[in-house]
Amino acid sequence: MREHVNNPGSNLRVMSGMRPTGALHLGHYHGVLKNWLKLQNEYQCFFAVADWHALTTHYEDPQDIQKNVWDMVIDWLAVGIDPGKAVLSIQSRVPEIAELHLLMSMVTPLGWLERVPTYKEQKEKLKDRDLSTYGFLGYPLLMTADILVVNADLVPVGEDQLPHLEISRELARRFNHLFGNEPGFKERAEAAAKKLGAKQAKLYNELRRQYTEQGDESALERARVLVTESRNLTKGDQERLLGHLAGTGRTILHEPQALLTETPKVTGLDGQKMSKSYGNTISLREAPESVEKKMRTMPTDPARVRRSDPGNPEKCPVWDFHKMYSDEDTRKWVWEGCTTAGIGCIDCKMSVIRKVQEELAPIRERAAEYEANPERVRAIMVEGSEAARSVAKETLEEVRQAIGINYR
Ligand code: TRP
Ligand code: SF4
């Protein structure tokens, strides 16, 4: 399955989530959303609003969550995240995530959670909050449940999130190891084969025989393709047939892989990383006048006191904007003009302000349409959450059955 990662039109599943932090800014756009826009055309994507995640740190002030959710979703839609292509859901509308989280918590070693590097880091950083809670410690498990519940193949992550994904993989493996050796596996696999249809089932059995008796790798590969491309199987039956082929028993929870993605660091107005907590952002729905005002008053190279003083773009946050927005000729014009005092800072800024305005204009326009039509936004999220839920229900059926609490 994983071998075809780079194929377009792939049926591989991608899962990602975002905490509802409210209206998004250029940092989110260039750092995350542009990547999502690409992914939604290449994979079967599940994008979730992680509202329970917000509660792991902000349980004391939950009153902003709802507004933050809708603001964030409007921005997703406004940049072009397309509910016709990707499944957009709200975490708390998919209660199967909570059930999976609970069931997995029974077998999650405390030490694994305590050792996640961001756990101690975040606790230190958010000193003004009391994060000695069960929910906060369990955050990587909650993220794991988000991912595993939709059977994701790939999770786009930056370097910093890799440990989270690693724990997800380990937890899936541990779960499979504990509960995967279901009684009657062979019979179930044979029953699953029948669901392929008579002809395909015969082929599957033949290919399996060629592989298990003669070690024919190409037969294994063909059988895998046959199984993964069949439309008649549940995920559980697919996993059984794949396990039956390889002789490994059944996989209940599918181990996701990291889709390592470069997440460009977007510089804020003051030269630090763009972040709401630094108050140095340009939001995606920022009014044009405000964009201009904020950028015109950006600090520049402190050595350029007078127009006649030459500057060094490397010491100027405006240059970071040029690197992101300007073509090569413009960047050359900036570099030469700045280092020789040939251009003034306002000229330099105006050139990039224009680019930012061009980028934001259509986003702001689409956002306004959604703002004027909140019912449509809600309907999109109801529908998407239901779609995510129907996948999640299938996973939970398998999970309950594997543990033996399906009561049939
Ligand atoms: N952990 C991410 C954050 O804090 C959000 C998130 C929640 C997520 N569930 C996820 C990311 C699943 C990837 C996959 O921003
Ligand atoms: Fe910064 Fe441009 Fe002024 Fe140079 S000319 S200091 S790059 S704003």
Side-chain angles (χ1 to χ4, degrees):
M1 250 169 135
R2 304 285 175 41
E3 289 78 28
H4 310 292
V5 163
N6 294 315
N7 285 358
S10 149
N11 55 11
L12 289 178
R13 285 186 185 166
V14 164
M15 156 75 210
S16 195
M18 212 186 272
R19 280 170 196 246
T21 48
L24 303 179
H25 53 66
L26 287 177
H28 298 110
Y29 182 55
H30 291 272
V32 184
L33 292 173
K34 273 170 106 174
N35 187 42
W36 284 17
L37 290 172
K38 191 159 79 60
L39 292 172
Q40 73 177 357
N41 292 321
E42 294 171 4
Y43 300 102
Q44 197 187 330
C45 288
F46 289 76
F47 297 135
V49 178
D51 56 347
W52 283 332
H53 280 263
L55 285 172
T56 63
T57 48
H58 289 63
Y59 59 88
E60 281 173 302
D61 37 12
Q63 61 283 350
D64 299 334
I65 290 182
Q66 268 203 52
K67 183 178 183 323
N68 287 348
V69 168
W70 298 123
D71 277 343
M72 185 169 87
V73 169
I74 285 174
D75 285 343
W76 285 7
L77 297 170
V79 301
I81 300 296
D82 182 350
K85 293 178 180 167
V87 177
L88 308 183
S89 64
I90 297 177
Q91 188 181 34
S92 64
R93 294 254 175 120
V94 186
E96 285 74 15
I97 295 167
E99 185 176 348
L100 184 59
H101 175 267
L102 175 103
L103 292 172
M104 293 191 80
S105 78
M106 305 300 171
V107 300
T108 300
L110 272 179
W112 290 16
L113 294 172
E114 285 160 348
R115 274 197 300 275
V116 172
T118 46
Y119 175 62
K120 283 202 185 83
E121 251 168 56
Q122 288 291 102
K123 229 171 132 180
E124 276 296 303
K125 208 169 132 195
L126 304 174
K127 263 217 167 89
D128 53 323
R129 302 174 185 277
D130 180 3
L131 294 179
S132 303
T133 59
Y134 185 54
F136 184 68
L137 177 66
Y139 154 81
L141 179 60
L142 186 54
M143 177 165 154
T144 297
D146 286 335
I147 296 167
L148 300 185
V149 89
V150 294
N151 254 301
D153 299 290
L154 297 166
V155 180
V157 285
E159 290 279 352
D160 55 322
Q161 290 267 325
L162 261 183
H164 284 144
L165 196 70
E166 200 42 49
I167 199 176
S168 299
R169 291 163 52 79
E170 279 165 7
L171 286 167
R173 237 176 282 147
R174 178 166 163 79
F175 193 92
N176 292 335
H177 173 72
L178 284 165
F179 301 115
N181 286 322
E182 57 183 352
F185 175 74
K186 190 161 158 278
E187 290 71 23
R188 282 174 186 280
E190 281 163 6
K194 293 216 175 79
K195 293 182 197 157
L196 287 165
K199 237 170 117 180
Q200 299 284 77
K202 197 165 159 231
L203 181 59
Y204 170 87
N205 288 324
E206 178 55 27
L207 291 169
R208 179 174 173 273
R209 200 184 53 73
Q210 282 174 21
Y211 173 65
T212 49
E213 290 175 16
Q214 292 148 30
D216 182 347
E217 296 278 343
S218 72
L220 173 67
E221 190 43 43
R222 281 176 63 203
R224 277 199 181 133
V225 172
L226 189 154
V227 170
T228 47
E229 288 184 352
S230 165
R231 300 257 163 259
N232 302 336
L233 300 173
T234 61
K235 272 270 174 184
D237 277 340
Q238 253 185 28
E239 298 288 4
R240 278 189 192 94
L241 289 177
L242 293 174
H244 194 41
L245 273 175
T248 52
R250 163 176 167 233
T251 306
I252 307 153
L253 295 172
H254 188 65
E255 241 182 87
Q257 297 225 317
L259 187 62
L260 256 186
T261 25
E262 266 194 67
T263 39
K265 287 228 164 54
V266 180
T267 305
L269 293 163
D270 59 357
Q272 300 185 81
K273 181 184 167 188
M274 189 177 283
S275 159
K276 207 165 149 192
S277 52
Y278 297 146
N280 62 0
T281 62
I282 293 178
S283 79
L284 296 181
R285 285 182 254 168
E286 193 95 36
E289 308 73 45
S290 173
V291 172
E292 175 154 350
K293 185 161 166 238
K294 281 184 171 180
M295 291 187 70
R296 281 178 81 111
T297 53
M298 275 175 78
T300 57
D301 176 2
R304 266 207 106 176
V305 184
R306 274 175 296 261
R307 167 71 173 77
S308 55
D309 297 329
N312 177 359
E314 295 290 358
K315 293 187 175 153
C316 176
V318 179
W319 176 240
D320 286 330
F321 276 73
H322 277 292
K323 283 196 281 196
M324 216 158 61
Y325 285 97
S326 299
D327 56 28
E328 203 160 331
D329 284 348
T330 311
R331 290 203 302 264
K332 225 163 139 192
W333 169 77
V334 170
W335 191 272
E336 283 174 16
C338 180
T339 52
T340 61
I343 60 170
C345 287
I346 288 296
D347 302 329
C348 177
K349 285 175 171 177
M350 283 316 289
S351 137
V352 76
I353 288 173
R354 214 175 309 123
K355 287 280 196 261
V356 174
Q357 302 283 32
E358 273 168 28
E359 178 174 79
L360 292 184
I363 295 176
R364 195 186 302 118
E365 206 173 292
R366 278 193 300 263
E369 286 167 26
Y370 287 110
E371 277 175 80
N373 204 341
E375 286 316 310
R376 184 157 153 236
V377 178
R378 278 159 184 68
I380 287 170
M381 296 315 286
V382 167
E383 200 177 305
S385 300
E386 278 309 312
R389 208 175 167 193
S390 71
V391 176
K393 279 180 177 159
E394 245 188 56
T395 306
L396 263 295
E397 280 288 316
E398 298 294 332
V399 164
R400 288 187 212 110
Q401 187 244 318
I403 298 175
I405 52 169
N406 56 330
Y407 306 106
R408 286 256 168 84

